[in-house]
């Protein structure tokens, strides 16, 4: 709703948005950092399924508050994971669209986008699967459905795609602004967490409020809810590219050397 380490630890960035990568060739091998991304994304999805499992209870009176509560939980989790040792190692992207955005912003190496994205998607499936093992059939039955998001029936594919793209475009511009300032980098995890909380709280009941292909990938696969999965994958990717383009037009994007 956000990198590669230099010889010293990298400052982390978003789950829907994330931190900058090292600019030199000495950022270290990609495999350990991709593994960190997989582990962090798995943990994030495990905790999201767990939160949904306990938030979607028998009391219908609390239904209106659930998106706001879930948004707050996920926002806090993102900020903590981004600042954890694995998050500092990998940059704490936790989102393929964020990785794509950072590449287009010129702060992440292009050849490492695919390894990161594969690791994040694999972590998504692993985390949801582990949550199913821990919580049993309750994790897969309605209304939990492995925490797979669904849009309001009134929202068509085009509307959901536009919302997902818009969130990532805005998040990418926020990243560009914060990464351009040394002080901005320090507050980045908190800005990403707050943005994610707002996206889930506001758009959750409408478009689903995913803004992260990895957020929906594992849940949709395990829930058999793949009809709109392409929207939740394509929308954030389009938004990341669009946001980076806008950043370039305003002079915020750094020229990439790779």
């Amino acid at each position: 709703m956000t990198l590669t380490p230099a010889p010293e630890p990298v400052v982390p960035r978003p789950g829907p948005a994330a931190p900058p990568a090292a600019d030199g060739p000495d950022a270290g091998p990609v495999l350990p950092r991709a593994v960190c991304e997989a582990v962090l994304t798995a943990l994030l999805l495990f905790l999201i399924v767990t939160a949904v499992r306990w938030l979607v209870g028998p009391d219908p009176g609390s239904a209106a508050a659930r998106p706001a509560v879930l948004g707050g939980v996920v926002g806090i989790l993102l900020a903590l994971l981004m600042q954890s040792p694995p998050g500092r190692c990998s940059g704490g992207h936790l989102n393929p669209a964020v990785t794509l955005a950072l590449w287009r912003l010129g702060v992440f190496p292009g050849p490492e986008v695919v390894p990161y994205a594969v690791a994040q998607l694999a972590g998504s499936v692993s985390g949801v699967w582990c949550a199913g093992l821990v919580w049993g059939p309750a994790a897969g039955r309605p209304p939990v459905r492995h925490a797979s998001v669904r849009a309001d029936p009134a929202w068509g594919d085009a509307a959901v795609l536009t919302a997902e793209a818009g969130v990532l475009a805005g998040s990418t511009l926020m990243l560009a602004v914060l990464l351009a300032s040394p002080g901005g980098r320090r507050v980045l995890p908190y800005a990403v967490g707050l943005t994610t909380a707002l996206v889930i709280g506001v758009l959750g009941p409408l478009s689903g409020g995913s803004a992260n292909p990895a957020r929906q990938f594992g849940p949709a696969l395990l829930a058999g809810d793949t009809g709109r999965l392409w929207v939740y994958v394509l929308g954030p990717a389009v938004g990341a590219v669009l946001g980076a383009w806008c950043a370039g037009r305003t002079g915020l994007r750094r020229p990439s050397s790779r």
Side-chain angles (χ1 to χ4, degrees):
M1 250 320 338
T2 355
L3 286 179
T4 46
E8 50 230 40
V10 173
V11 179
R13 297 118 156 130
D23 293 318
D26 52 355
V30 66
L31 182 59
R33 290 180 282 113
V35 169
C36 286
E37 282 292 301
V39 171
L40 289 169
T41 307
L43 181 57
L44 176 65
L45 266 294
F46 175 86
L47 294 173
I48 287 176
V49 175
T50 299
V52 173
R53 159 70 179 84
W54 291 106
L55 280 174
V56 181
D59 177 14
S62 64
R66 287 170 190 159
V69 174
L70 182 61
V73 169
V74 176
I76 292 170
L77 287 174
L78 275 175
L80 292 175
L81 292 174
M82 288 167 55
Q83 297 179 88
S84 69
R88 292 180 179 275
C89 173
S90 69
H93 302 192
L94 305 170
N95 183 340
V98 166
T99 301
L100 178 62
L102 290 170
W103 168 48
R104 298 307 303 157
L105 288 173
V107 295
F108 189 77
E112 296 182 5
V113 171
V114 170
Y116 261 50
V118 170
Q120 291 152 354
L121 296 178
S124 173
V125 175
S126 300
V128 176
W129 180 74
C130 288
L133 289 181
V134 171
W135 301 118
R141 289 196 299 256
V144 180
R145 300 187 326 272
H146 298 291
S148 177
V149 302
R150 288 187 177 180
D152 184 282
W155 281 57
D157 289 350
V160 176
L161 184 71
T162 300
E164 291 285 299
V167 168
L168 252 296
S171 296
T172 301
L173 286 171
M174 178 187 73
L175 282 178
V177 171
L178 292 178
L179 293 177
S181 161
R185 297 187 181 214
R186 288 194 294 270
V187 303
L188 194 94
Y190 310 105
V192 169
L194 178 60
T195 299
T196 301
L198 291 174
V199 168
I200 295 174
V202 175
L203 288 178
L206 303 173
S207 68
S210 171
N212 180 347
R215 162 64 183 90
Q216 177 69 342
F217 187 74
L221 285 185
L222 272 72
D225 192 15
T226 58
R228 273 189 171 175
L229 180 57
W230 69 273
V231 175
Y232 291 105
V233 171
L234 180 62
V238 169
V241 173
L242 178 61
W245 179 81
C246 291
R249 297 288 293 179
T250 56
L252 292 172
R253 187 176 65 191
R254 296 168 52 187
S256 177
S257 59
R258 7 198 173 177

